[in-house]
């Protein structure tokens, strides 16, 4: 799950690394936007993160992590 200050939506994470992630989605967002994410881990645990959209293409966007909890 991902959220802006206005809405919550779903996307699929692809190509995740320590510094960021590509998220495949049909949502139309803008570069520079901040998002809050809940990323599922093994054994039902979740990681909460804040990231900034750094690029966008037709399939989704690249997000740079700013904070991970």
């Amino acid at each position: 799950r991902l959220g802006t200050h206005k809405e919550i939506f779903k996307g699929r994470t692809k190509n995740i690394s320590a510094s960021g992630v590509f998220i495949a989605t049909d949502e139309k967002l803008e570069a520079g936007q901040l998002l809050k994410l809940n990323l599922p881990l093994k054994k039902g645990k979740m990681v909460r993160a804040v990231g900034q959209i750094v690029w966008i293409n037709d399939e989704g966007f690249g997000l740079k992590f700013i904070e991970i909890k």
Side-chain angles (χ1 to χ4, degrees), residues 2-9 30 33-35:
L2 304 141
T4 67
H5 65 282
K6 294 182 181 182
E7 65 182 311
I8 295 175
F9 60 93
E30 297 178 16
Q33 270 187 283
L34 294 178
L35 299 176

Side-chain angles (χ1 to χ4, degrees), residues 5-44:
H5 65 282
K6 294 182 181 182
E7 65 182 311
I8 295 175
F9 60 93
K10 292 183 181 181
R12 290 185 324 275
T13 58
K14 295 184 174 183
N15 198 17
I16 192 166
S17 73
S19 61
V21 62
F22 172 74
I23 299 179
T25 183
D26 292 330
E27 296 292 324
K28 302 301 177 204
L29 301 170
E30 297 178 16
Q33 270 187 283
L34 294 178
L35 299 176
K36 293 182 181 180
L37 296 86
N38 290 323
L39 300 169
L41 297 177
K42 292 180 181 178
K43 299 183 182 179

